[in-house]
Amino acid sequence: MITAAMVKELREKTGAGMMDCKKALSECDGDMEKSIDWLREKGIAKAAKKSDRIAAEGLTRSAVEGNTGVVFEVNSETDFVAKNEQFLGLLDTVQTLLVSNKPADVDAALACATAEGTLTDTITNATATIGEKISLRRIAVVEKADDEFFGSYVHMGGKISALVTLKGKADEKVAKDIAMQVASMAPQYVSRDEMPADVVEHERKVQTEIVKNDEKLANKPEKVLAGIIEGKISKNLKDLCLVEQEFFLNPDQKVGQYLKENGVEVVSFVRYAVGEGIEKREDNFAEEVMSQAFGG
């Protein structure tokens, strides 16, 4: 008797679809190893070979529906797959699931129900069909208050996505401008108030050493040196803070000034860039082409 647990195990081992696994187990009288071979021989077990590959390409997306905003990243192995219709369809599925289910994290998102079972099943099937490792890397689900508004921006078709939550005089242009600022200038915090004390302290230690070793400052009073150090800290940390950055549409103006002029303040933001933080494998392209040409 072929059980659901057997089908699940075979799916996890091969990445093949549920019906294919069921058929393989039936054909092989429930023998797991023979079923794996059967799927491989039929060219169905594609996903298993992909599990150890590095998926550092793909797309991000930012979307808003009512009081819910979502940002997520789905990775693939190559940039070509990002243009694949099935891959783009998968992003639509993920977006719909995140907005409607509001999962707390990636694991919760992967457990959400889809037409193929769960989102994990849908991704596994996409991996098997497309022939590349595909994975949902990270998600952010943001709920705003009724007196807040969203700004969303997707750059280069999904290479970078940003979602900002703002408060004050609702203005679509301001919202988009700030989302574009976040996407292009990659701040880490809204303001210095949000910055962890250890980040500031680390910078203070670095700048103190620099000043201590600067012969030109050797005879300056302690009070003057302290002022110089604080100035250097502010200069080096300002680009990490959104409100202290130069506004990309007007470098003579700080983002904070632009926000103040428009009666708006930033509550929070999320920015995802494809593959950031993933160590990409360096492939020898010539070797790869030869390998494919000669079936290596």
Side-chain angles (χ1 to χ4, degrees):
M1 181 183 170
I2 308 303
T3 66
M6 291 166 68
V7 175
K8 183 174 183 287
E9 183 182 346
L10 186 57
R11 290 201 69 189
E12 288 172 351
K13 287 184 175 179
T14 65
M18 183 172 66
M19 297 311 294
D20 288 324
C21 288
K22 200 170 180 181
K23 187 174 181 182
L25 286 162
S26 297
E27 290 287 331
C28 303
D29 298 318
D31 187 300
M32 193 62 64
E33 294 307 313
K34 284 182 181 177
S35 297
I36 292 171
D37 289 341
W38 189 90
L39 288 167
R40 289 184 63 195
E41 287 160 10
K42 299 291 181 186
I44 296 168
K46 296 176 183 176
K49 295 181 186 177
K50 313 295 178 184
S51 61
D52 61 345
R53 293 199 182 178
I54 298 170
E57 299 296 339
L59 291 173
T60 64
R61 188 178 284 184
S62 173
V64 170
E65 190 172 309
N67 279 4
T68 304
V70 299
V71 190
F72 60 93
E73 178 182 358
V74 178
N75 293 133
S76 59
E77 291 177 55
T78 67
D79 195 32
F80 301 111
V81 169
K83 302 174 182 72
N84 180 289
E85 280 188 28
Q86 186 179 359
F87 186 79
L88 294 173
L90 175 62
L91 263 74
D92 291 338
T93 298
V94 173
Q95 180 178 318
T96 301
L97 284 177
L98 295 184
V99 170
S100 57
N101 291 278
K102 302 176 180 53
D105 51 33
V106 170
D107 287 341
L110 291 171
C112 289
T114 66
E116 295 162 281
T118 64
L119 183 55
T120 293
D121 296 324
T122 300
I123 292 172
T124 298
N125 289 341
T127 296
T129 306
I130 294 170
E132 280 196 17
K133 181 182 178 183
I134 293 167
S135 57
L136 176 63
R137 183 187 179 199
R138 50 184 171 166
I139 68 167
V141 179
V142 182
E143 291 291 314
K144 74 170 185 65
D146 290 336
D147 63 343
E148 296 172 343
F149 60 104
F150 284 128
S152 176
Y153 177 67
V154 178
H155 182 62
M156 288 178 65
K159 288 299 180 187
I160 302 172
S161 291
L163 176 73
V164 295
T165 308
L166 307 124
K167 195 171 186 176
K169 184 183 173 185
D171 187 315
E172 282 186 22
K173 183 183 182 303
V174 172
K176 187 173 182 183
D177 284 348
I178 298 302
M180 290 177 75
Q181 175 80 24
V182 169
S184 62
M185 302 307 289
Q188 293 181 30
Y189 313 99
V190 173
S191 67
R192 276 286 290 272
D193 295 337
E194 263 191 18
M195 192 176 287
D198 60 335
V199 173
V200 180
E201 195 51 43
H202 176 264
E203 188 63 25
R204 179 170 283 107
K205 284 180 181 176
V206 171
Q207 294 305 329
T208 299
E209 284 302 310
I210 290 172
V211 167
K212 196 186 292 181
N213 295 321
D214 189 336
E215 293 179 2
K216 295 175 186 174
L217 302 174
N219 298 317
K220 298 281 186 184
E222 285 296 319
K223 193 174 181 181
V224 173
L225 291 177
I228 292 171
I229 290 167
E230 288 305 313
K232 286 177 173 289
I233 292 169
S234 294
K235 185 179 179 182
N236 282 279
L237 295 181
K238 69 174 184 177
D239 285 341
L240 298 181
C241 301
L242 175 60
V243 297
E244 292 183 38
Q245 289 182 337
E246 293 177 353
F247 184 36
F248 80 106
L249 289 175
N250 178 11
D252 293 329
Q253 186 180 40
K254 294 285 180 68
V255 172
Q257 293 172 308
Y258 175 72
L259 289 165
K260 192 173 182 180
E261 281 178 9
N262 288 279
V264 173
E265 61 181 278
V266 177
V267 177
S268 64
F269 65 81
V270 181
R271 177 189 185 274
Y272 287 170
V274 171
E276 62 188 347
I278 299 176
E279 190 174 334
K280 299 185 183 184
R281 183 184 59 196
E282 294 295 326
D283 283 333
N284 183 316
F285 185 66
E287 283 182 11
E288 188 177 326
V289 172
M290 292 293 282
S291 172
Q292 290 177 3
F294 293 101

